[in-house]
Amino acid sequence: MADFEIVFRTHSEIEAQIVRGLLEAHGIMSVLSSAVPHSIFPLSVEGLNDVRIGVHSSEADEALRIIEDHRTELKNGEVIRLRDEFETLQQAIGYRFKDRGLLEHAMTHTSRANEDVSGGVVDNESMEFLGDALLGFVVADLLFHEFPEFDEGEKSKTKASLVSTASLARQAERLRIGEHLLLGKGEEKTGGRRKQALLADGYEALLAAIYLDGGIEPARGFITREFRDLIADVRRHGVGGEDYKSALQELLQSRDQPLPEYRLVNTLGPDHSKLFEVEVVVRGEPLSRATGSSKKDAEQEAARAALEKLKSP
């Protein structure tokens, strides 16, 4: 379904056929796909399959409008509104999904799946597994080519730091993945959108979704863009360089506090010799300020000052 977009999903094949007839009556051809492989379940079992209807990308908007206009007649299915719900996330990652159902799947935490009594919601754990393997491969390849002078131990240490839970959680926070996670009520109440582990898992699942939707090249390109600055930091500060931002984030997480925000509050000096002043904010309250020759350096210094403040008696 390379040129098709999913516009409707239901557990009822009868309802799926009704929707197909509705679309065809308006001149829109559609295709059916099921989340249950027919090689495993050759017989269709009503209420078991997650049946999806796809239409050509150029007709997706019109198909959604038609289905929505007849919404009162559709009892079990749901209109897929990933175009709206995940639009900001797609913009942030610089990739548009052909099958937006993959993106929804990647954002579905096990707590949401466990609360679904129909059994039709699948969590993202398998996608986390795939994304973790994909990320490890691409980052290892990047380090192999970027740091030929590093021995095996240095490469392994660098890779472990780059793909750590704290590192991936920071990447996820920057992309605001937490806002798009589909959580169960219990996980929502306990602040799941701010938990490092959930953010990192969602990030890995997102990588898998990009790979499954577009193949290895879009996934590799995304990871390369995401880790370009981090790899540059390794070249500047070395393998064992102190990462105060990571340390601050881990300390705040251990105290059940939200992730810190870094705000640029001032720019000083001429263009050829600028200094950047950055403020660290937690729960809307400023913790510290610092300056640096780059925003990243200023953020690191501000994080160091915040750590000292939080650790002081």
Side-chain angles (χ1 to χ4, degrees):
M1 298 178 66
D3 295 320
F4 283 74
E5 294 186 14
I6 306 300
V7 295
F8 187 78
R9 183 180 59 226
T10 180
H11 298 305
S12 168
E13 292 196 9
I14 294 175
E15 187 168 55
Q17 293 298 340
I18 293 174
V19 172
R20 288 195 74 190
L22 175 66
L23 294 176
E24 289 176 9
H26 287 78
I28 297 178
M29 301 303 295
S30 61
V31 295
L32 288 181
S33 67
S34 172
V36 180
H38 288 286
S39 59
I40 301 176
F41 295 99
L43 298 178
S44 174
V45 180
E46 182 70 19
L48 176 62
N49 287 4
D50 181 9
V51 184
R52 298 180 176 189
I53 296 179
V55 301
H56 194 274
S57 301
S58 63
E59 298 179 310
D61 286 334
E62 179 64 11
L64 285 168
R65 185 193 65 76
I66 293 169
I67 295 172
E68 185 63 25
D69 286 346
H70 293 76
R71 194 71 182 92
T72 55
E73 300 175 17
L74 307 175
K75 304 300 183 183
N76 300 315
E78 61 178 289
V79 178
I80 304 302
R81 292 201 169 278
L82 296 176
R83 179 185 301 278
D84 301 323
E85 293 176 9
F86 295 114
E87 179 63 25
T88 56
L89 180 56
Q90 290 188 107
Q91 291 177 359
I93 66 178
Y95 180 82
R96 304 198 68 80
F97 281 82
K98 294 180 283 292
D99 181 357
R100 290 178 175 83
L102 288 170
L103 181 53
E104 181 183 29
H105 187 181
M107 294 296 103
T108 303
H109 185 252
T110 184
S111 62
R112 169 64 71 88
N114 289 340
E115 290 183 4
D116 178 65
V117 295
S118 72
V121 177
V122 182
D123 64 45
N124 62 5
E125 290 186 352
S126 290
M127 296 185 82
E128 293 168 25
F129 168 78
L130 178 59
D132 175 68
L134 177 66
L135 177 63
F137 162 67
V138 175
V139 170
D141 183 63
L142 288 171
L143 294 177
F144 178 84
H145 289 94
E146 289 288 335
F147 301 102
E149 71 278 13
F150 281 10
D151 60 28
E152 182 182 358
E154 290 174 312
K155 287 188 178 75
S156 295
K157 183 177 180 180
T158 303
K159 176 174 173 287
S161 175
L162 291 175
V163 302
S164 67
T165 297
S167 175
L168 299 187
R170 286 196 302 275
Q171 299 289 81
E173 178 68 16
R174 181 176 52 78
L175 296 172
R176 308 179 80 89
I177 284 177
E179 297 177 7
H180 300 281
L181 291 175
L182 303 175
L183 305 176
K185 294 178 181 178
E187 194 63 57
E188 187 80 64
K189 290 179 180 178
T190 58
R193 297 186 188 281
R194 301 190 305 271
K195 293 180 180 178
Q196 276 194 339
L198 268 66
L199 290 170
D201 290 346
Y203 187 83
E204 290 176 334
L206 174 64
L207 300 181
I210 294 173
Y211 166 71
L212 292 171
D213 188 71
I216 186 62
E217 290 309 319
R220 184 196 295 271
F222 175 73
I223 294 171
T224 300
R225 293 192 302 273
E226 284 283 287
F227 285 83
R228 182 184 296 121
D229 289 344
L230 295 178
I231 289 176
D233 285 342
V234 172
R235 189 168 293 284
R236 282 197 300 268
H237 302 298
V239 179
E242 185 68 43
D243 186 351
Y244 295 109
K245 290 177 67 176
S246 295
L248 175 60
Q249 180 169 306
E250 291 170 2
L251 177 62
L252 291 171
Q253 289 285 330
S254 70
R255 297 181 179 182
D256 292 324
Q257 295 191 45
L259 297 174
E261 296 178 44
Y262 294 87
R263 298 176 181 173
L264 179 64
V265 295
N266 203 1
T267 304
L268 309 170
D271 289 342
H272 66 277
S273 183
K274 279 188 176 180
L275 283 177
F276 299 88
E277 186 176 18
V278 169
E279 185 178 63
V280 180
V281 179
V282 177
R283 293 190 187 278
E285 296 294 327
L287 274 181
S288 63
R289 284 192 182 190
T291 58
S293 57
S294 70
K295 291 180 184 178
K296 287 184 175 295
D297 289 342
E299 288 174 356
Q300 284 286 351
E301 185 59 24
R304 184 194 62 77
L307 277 169
E308 291 182 354
K309 181 177 181 179
L310 291 173
K311 290 180 178 179
S312 62

